[in-house]
Amino acid sequence: MPNPAPAAEAVKPSLPGRVVSVRGSVVDVSFEKDLPPLQTMLYAGENNRIVLEVMSELDSHHVRAIALTPTQGLARGMAVINTQGPIKAPVGLGTLGRMFDVFGHTIDQGDAPKDVEWRSIHQPPPSLSRRSARSEIFETGIKVIDILTPLERGGKAGLFGGAGVGKTVLLTEIIHNMLGRQKGVSMFCGIGERCREGQELHQEMKDANVLSDMVMLFGQMNEPPGARFRIAHAALTMAEYFRDEQHRDVLLLIDNVFRFIQAGMEISGMMGQMPSRLGYQPTMGTELSGLEERIANTDAGAITSIQAVYIPADDLTDPAAVHIFGHLSASIVLSRKRAAEGLFPAVDPLQSSSQMTTAALVGDRHYRLAREIRKTLAQYEELKDIIAMLGLEQLSREDQKVVARARRLERFLTQPFFTTGQFSGMAGKSVSLEDGLNGCERILKDEFKDFPENAFYMIGSIDEVKAKPVARTPVEAKKEATP
């Protein structure tokens, strides 16, 4: 793998080190003098194709490093070059529309990016004096998210969902709406992604015409844990450039943040550190905080992050889950049951939550409506068993009204997406928060009780209900056609 030219040019003349031992991805190196500090990048092997990062100093002449590339062919006594600097990532407008690995190499079969600057991936989080104290809503244009689980500008949201429930489609739509509404930059960081997933996502973004204002980074599943661990830092370095120097809002998508912890656990085990509970590294909290605290809202701009989160064995008390939840301001849960019913986006309104849903942040009206919607949907959920056994007619008149409101709300919270228009045949809709709140309020007041439920399905604003043609069964259509 060729090394980036800017990093190679920055290497100053120094005595090379020598490989002392190789144990998998752990390499011990000796230096007569000029011992490299922690996080220094080293080159070894033929054509400098093996990249190492110093993780600890054993004594005054020896360091222990982790390989970020495969170590095949590396042997004792081989020369090691000290780059006298950390791993660097390219930053600048030339990165837009491209796909990179942890070293800043393009992996989209294109030429190397032009007009870029190379910066260390190890940056401190913004100081408290630079952080914005205001909490603002990050509007996505998606009704169910903006109304029930509003995102925070400069905050971190967790996206929980398995395969086939619309996770990638939802992320793609948020990217599309963000670029259209706020003229920001979107960044996708794949940690431990499969090669197939990366290629498919790149093609989907290209087909949706959102790739021109997007940067993609991948630390693939077949790469060593060092590369998977550092890819998130490289993505944040690129995002910080657009926030701090271009003064643009950045939407950072991370899939999957649990794999970041998992890669750190692998490195900790290889380094011989004593594990903590359930085998996790003793430095897990520090490593995760060092990453998450760089995602912030400052006086220059904001980095808003949506992170896919895997919960091991569905155990919310797992140490990794506990540490991740401590950093999230919103949780979006995708339901396979709702996806099977065709209610897209398949966000579960009862399991999803947001710290922004308070009267002080979103206003009294929004807070009151969100509570009323959740209450109505929760009552409907409790009545489903009775309906299944006895039928809707056996409910009281008041309960029947609750069911009617809930079913209309469920369908109104669906929405056609721009990124799926070529498959569904329906034009995408981006709905403002005010339009979404107005629609839910009018449904809760039974203003549309005489309209059929399917009139609320896959629409934008509530005014489209009256203009939407009512679907009829073949029997009804035949009766109307009979003179």
Side-chain angles (χ1 to χ4, degrees):
M1 179 181 293
N3 296 306
E9 292 172 359
V11 178
K12 299 177 182 178
S14 63
L15 290 177
R18 296 289 173 183
V19 175
V20 176
S21 67
V22 181
R23 298 185 305 280
S25 294
V26 180
V27 182
D28 290 350
V29 185
S30 66
F31 290 87
E32 293 184 9
K33 62 177 183 178
D34 298 331
L35 194 70
L38 300 182
Q39 299 179 346
T40 299
M41 184 168 63
L42 311 175
Y43 293 150
E46 185 179 354
N47 298 324
N48 296 334
R49 64 179 181 82
I50 299 175
V51 183
L52 313 172
E53 184 180 16
V54 177
M55 299 298 289
S56 67
E57 295 180 348
L58 302 179
D59 53 39
S60 58
H61 292 285
H62 294 82
V63 296
R64 180 161 290 170
I66 287 290
L68 278 70
T69 56
T71 57
Q72 284 88 348
L74 192 64
R76 294 176 61 184
M78 282 188 172
V80 177
I81 298 176
N82 179 7
T83 67
Q84 300 185 2
I87 303 171
K88 295 183 178 181
V91 299
L93 297 177
T95 61
L96 292 174
R98 306 303 303 274
M99 187 190 300
F100 298 91
D101 64 7
V102 69
F103 305 109
H105 304 140
T106 56
I107 55 176
D108 53 6
Q109 299 179 346
D111 298 331
K114 298 179 181 179
D115 301 325
V116 296
E117 175 189 348
W118 292 79
R119 292 185 182 175
S120 168
I121 66 171
H122 304 287
Q123 301 289 343
S127 61
L128 290 176
S129 60
R130 288 190 55 214
R131 292 176 182 258
S132 175
R134 294 188 304 168
S135 293
E136 304 175 39
I137 296 291
F138 179 85
E139 283 198 39
T140 64
I142 300 174
K143 289 179 286 190
V144 66
I145 293 178
D146 291 340
I147 295 172
L148 296 178
T149 58
L151 306 185
E152 180 184 7
R153 181 173 178 265
K156 295 169 277 287
L159 179 61
F160 305 85
V165 295
K167 181 172 60 177
T168 301
V169 172
L170 183 58
L171 293 180
T172 310
E173 185 71 8
I174 292 175
I175 292 171
H176 179 279
N177 291 353
M178 190 238 184
L179 297 178
R181 283 169 169 261
Q182 305 184 23
K183 306 300 180 185
V185 176
S186 295
M187 191 159 296
F188 184 91
C189 175
I191 306 175
E193 287 284 284
R194 300 172 183 86
C195 301
R196 171 187 56 80
E197 292 174 337
Q199 192 275 334
E200 289 177 354
L201 184 62
H202 182 268
Q203 189 62 43
E204 288 176 8
M205 299 299 177
K206 188 176 180 179
D207 294 341
N209 296 321
V210 298
L211 198 58
S212 58
D213 286 305
M214 187 175 181
V215 184
M216 304 179 74
L217 295 95
F218 286 96
Q220 298 175 28
M221 185 176 288
N222 62 324
E223 296 185 35
R228 287 181 271 124
F229 186 70
R230 291 303 184 199
I231 190 67
H233 299 94
L236 272 170
T237 301
M238 293 185 181
E240 287 165 347
Y241 166 83
F242 290 106
R243 179 191 66 187
D244 299 334
E245 299 194 17
Q246 294 292 320
H247 303 289
R248 299 170 71 177
D249 282 354
V250 182
L251 177 63
L252 175 63
L253 308 170
I254 301 178
D255 186 9
N256 183 310
V257 71
F258 175 78
R259 296 195 191 114
F260 169 78
I261 293 178
Q262 202 171 36
M265 179 171 59
E266 293 179 47
I267 292 175
S268 175
M270 291 188 297
M271 295 292 293
Q273 296 178 347
M274 182 69 69
S276 61
R277 282 187 58 209
L278 301 181
Y280 288 108
Q281 63 271 37
T283 55
M284 176 176 61
T286 304
E287 292 169 356
L288 185 63
S289 299
L291 180 74
E292 298 282 6
E293 289 302 309
R294 292 172 65 178
I295 304 171
N297 183 6
T298 68
D299 49 7
I303 300 177
T304 304
S305 176
I306 300 178
Q307 307 172 9
V309 182
Y310 168 71
I311 305 299
D314 295 329
D315 181 12
L316 296 178
T317 64
D318 186 271
V322 171
H323 280 81
I324 294 172
F325 275 120
H327 294 279
L328 299 180
S329 58
S331 300
I332 302 173
V333 180
L334 298 183
S335 165
R336 189 171 300 279
K337 181 180 178 182
R338 291 177 64 85
E341 294 174 357
L343 300 175
F344 291 105
V347 177
D348 190 322
L350 299 180
Q351 293 191 48
S352 304
S353 62
S354 171
Q355 295 178 3
M356 297 293 288
T357 315
T358 62
L361 295 177
V362 300
D364 291 334
R365 176 172 176 255
H366 186 171
Y367 177 68
R368 175 179 54 80
L369 283 173
R371 283 178 58 90
E372 187 66 25
I373 292 168
R374 290 182 187 277
K375 178 182 176 182
T376 303
L377 295 176
Q379 288 176 323
Y380 175 46
E381 195 67 29
E382 293 175 356
L383 294 170
K384 280 184 177 179
D385 288 340
I386 300 177
I387 296 172
M389 290 185 294
L390 303 177
L392 183 63
E393 297 77 11
Q394 300 302 317
L395 297 179
S396 66
R397 187 176 298 275
E398 190 59 38
D399 284 344
Q400 289 183 16
K401 291 182 180 180
V402 169
V403 171
R405 293 186 200 116
R407 291 180 63 85
R408 283 166 174 77
L409 283 172
E410 281 186 338
R411 282 149 183 78
F412 178 66
L413 292 177
T414 63
Q415 190 170 335
F417 282 175
F418 291 96
T419 52
T420 59
Q422 55 185 329
F423 308 110
S424 64
M426 293 183 287
K429 308 276 185 179
S430 180
V431 184
S432 66
L433 175 60
E434 186 63 27
D435 286 344
L437 291 175
N438 286 338
C440 292
E441 187 174 37
R442 294 169 71 180
I443 291 174
L444 289 170
K445 290 181 178 178
D446 291 334
E447 185 175 331
F448 297 92
K449 63 181 181 179
D450 296 328
F451 287 81
E453 296 171 358
N454 55 9
F456 298 82
Y457 181 67
M458 286 295 174
I459 62 172
S461 64
I462 193 66
D463 294 328
E464 297 179 27
V465 171
K466 299 177 181 178
K468 185 175 181 180
V470 178
R472 291 175 172 82
T473 64
V475 174
E476 294 172 336
K478 185 177 180 179
K479 286 183 179 180
E480 290 184 1
T482 304

